Amino acid sequence: MTDGQDLLSGRLLVVAFEGWNDAGDAATGAVRMLKDQLELTQLFEVDPELYFDFQFNRPVISTDAEGKRRLTWPSAKLYGPAHPGEPVGQLADDAEMRISAANNDNVYLLVGTEPSRSWKAFCAELLDAALTHDVSAIIFLGAMLADVPHTRPISVFTSSENPEVRQSLDIERSTYEGPVGVLSALADAADLLDIPTLSIWASVPHYVQHSPSPKAMLALIDKLEELIDVVIPRGELMEQAAEWEQTIDSLAAEDEEMAMYIRQLEAARDTVEAPEASGEAIAREFERYLRTSDVKKGPGVASEDPKRTAGTDQPRRAAGEERADDSSKATRDEKPGEHTGGDDEGRDAEDDSEKD
């Protein structure tokens, strides 16, 4: 059996996919930022013809540095150290930060687009490539739309199916039941091969679903850095996160309905997280939240128990995942070749509330 310390001491594969599991581009943004900072080389790429519907995930044309027009096809790529076993070196010229000696050749990355078909074969091919490079554990990054305020720290939920990992890292097991994305399929396939996995999910405010969320990206990077022995330079990300929050503040200042809804989310979050909060106090706050929400509901949100939204994140993640499929369809019209798993949230959430 593998314990939590074994998870952190071997070669780690950090995984993120565009689509259902990537609200606000937070998960793939975090992995791509890590790729930009590390001296990694491409080790493997799946054949796009086998796994993608190009009418759903269209190729993107762009101009490269030499002025040539090139197509970029949806895919999934594995990256790793060019010379495993040698020091990776300095991460950034503007920051005296290096990968620690304990993890100098441990970090591998897998990033791409969620496939349209043949998920089992897709997972088997990627895991075979990972095992070829002696990857011993996998960390999945995801982001979900949730009823959370943008003015508070981004909630991050960490879970594992491995009991030794949970005990060592003092984390929970996911209790979600329902439709899943390719991250769960890949995690299930890894579990069958006795590869320990760890999942890190960030909650993205659903009312800003159409824009990338650097604050959620920063939260994922903070948690990843906390769990593995690696220092990740933030660059301009902290400034971008502050600007993102200020932009939403400005929009809310001009929209009283939005501002009122954000205040409701803040009150619910603060009540749940207050040290002195009792079950009765939380219940009273929830009843007040429901009354105000029924009278004047915020943009595109279903009433939900704030204890489940701000406290554990996992039940709210389920709701976010259930709506993400429709959301990706809207996004592909706006951004050919990629989708964030965030669009159409409002309409689907209102449908959910009517069912309740």
Side-chain angles (χ1 to χ4, degrees):
M1 297 294 288
T2 301
D3 63 22
Q5 295 306 315
D6 290 334
L7 174 75
L8 303 181
S9 61
R11 293 188 176 182
L12 306 177
L13 176 62
V14 182
V15 180
F17 284 95
E18 298 173 359
W20 226 40
N21 312 287
D22 193 28
D25 299 339
T28 53
V31 171
R32 288 189 171 113
M33 179 178 178
L34 188 57
K35 174 183 173 292
D36 290 341
Q37 302 294 345
L38 301 176
E39 295 178 5
L40 302 181
T41 185
Q42 182 177 316
L43 303 175
F44 176 79
E45 180 180 7
V46 299
D47 182 354
E49 294 284 346
L50 300 177
Y51 304 113
F52 296 95
D53 179 347
F54 298 136
Q55 289 185 317
F56 186 81
N57 300 112
R58 293 182 180 274
V60 177
I61 192 167
S62 59
T63 304
D64 64 15
E66 299 177 354
K68 296 181 179 179
R69 302 275 282 172
R70 298 187 182 278
L71 279 176
T72 301
W73 296 88
S75 186
K77 300 178 182 179
L78 175 68
Y79 299 90
H83 304 287
E86 298 181 6
V88 175
Q90 188 165 317
L91 291 178
D93 294 334
D94 60 345
E96 294 182 357
M97 298 180 178
R98 298 173 181 268
I99 290 184
S100 68
N103 254 9
N104 59 5
D105 62 350
N106 278 5
V107 180
Y108 289 70
L109 304 177
L110 173 61
V111 65
T113 303
E114 186 175 68
S116 307
R117 55 178 173 260
S118 304
W119 280 23
K120 291 182 179 180
F122 181 82
C123 293
E125 187 172 0
L126 289 175
L127 289 175
D128 182 65
L131 290 174
T132 299
H133 295 281
D134 298 323
V135 166
S136 59
I138 303 176
I139 299 178
F140 297 102
L141 301 186
M144 54 193 169
L145 296 171
D147 296 330
V148 293
H150 72 282
T151 54
R152 300 294 185 265
I154 295 293
S155 299
V156 175
F157 179 81
T158 307
S159 65
S160 175
E161 288 300 302
N162 186 296
E164 284 75 24
V165 172
R166 293 199 303 271
Q167 181 177 6
S168 178
L169 300 180
D170 191 24
I171 59 177
E172 301 178 27
R173 184 181 189 180
S174 172
T175 58
Y176 169 68
E177 295 181 349
V180 297
V182 73
L183 289 185
S184 294
L186 195 57
D188 182 69
D191 183 62
L192 294 176
L193 296 174
D194 292 326
I195 303 174
T197 64
L198 181 72
S199 296
I200 306 174
W201 284 78
S203 298
V204 178
H206 75 92
Y207 52 89
V208 288
Q209 57 187 295
H210 295 285
S211 63
S213 177
K215 189 173 181 178
M217 189 192 309
L218 184 61
L220 287 173
I221 289 175
D222 287 345
K223 192 64 177 181
L224 184 63
E225 186 179 76
E226 176 187 328
L227 292 173
I228 68 175
D229 188 16
V230 60
V231 176
I232 307 171
R234 305 304 194 270
E236 300 179 353
L237 188 58
M238 297 185 70
E239 294 180 3
Q240 293 172 356
E243 292 175 359
W244 174 83
E245 187 169 332
Q246 292 170 3
T247 299
I248 301 171
D249 288 342
S250 299
L251 293 174
E254 299 175 357
D255 187 335
E256 180 56 32
E257 181 181 3
M258 181 179 182
M260 180 182 297
Y261 175 64
I262 293 172
R263 288 195 292 270
Q264 293 173 5
L265 292 178
E266 291 172 338
R269 173 75 172 268
D270 295 343
T271 298
V272 172
E273 295 188 346
E276 68 278 6
S278 64
E280 184 178 350
I282 294 174
R284 285 198 304 268
E285 175 59 29
F286 180 44
E287 290 174 358
R288 186 200 66 78
Y289 173 78
L290 288 179
R291 286 195 301 270
T292 56
S293 296
D294 289 338
V295 173
K296 194 170 187 178
K297 191 171 294 183
V301 62
S303 299
E304 180 139 355
D305 186 344
K307 290 184 291 184
R308 301 177 66 183
T309 299
T312 65
D313 285 353
Q314 187 65 17
R316 190 58 187 134
R317 171 153 67 91
E321 286 192 344
E322 288 167 0
R323 292 194 295 268
D325 190 49
D326 288 341
S327 67
S328 63
K329 297 176 183 176
T331 309
R332 70 175 184 271
D333 291 333
E334 298 177 20
K335 300 167 65 179
E338 68 178 272
H339 45 124
T340 64
D343 296 331
D344 279 358
E345 170 75 11
R347 183 176 68 247
D348 292 341
E350 289 173 352
D351 292 342
D352 290 343
S353 64
E354 291 174 2
K355 295 176 183 177
D356 294 339

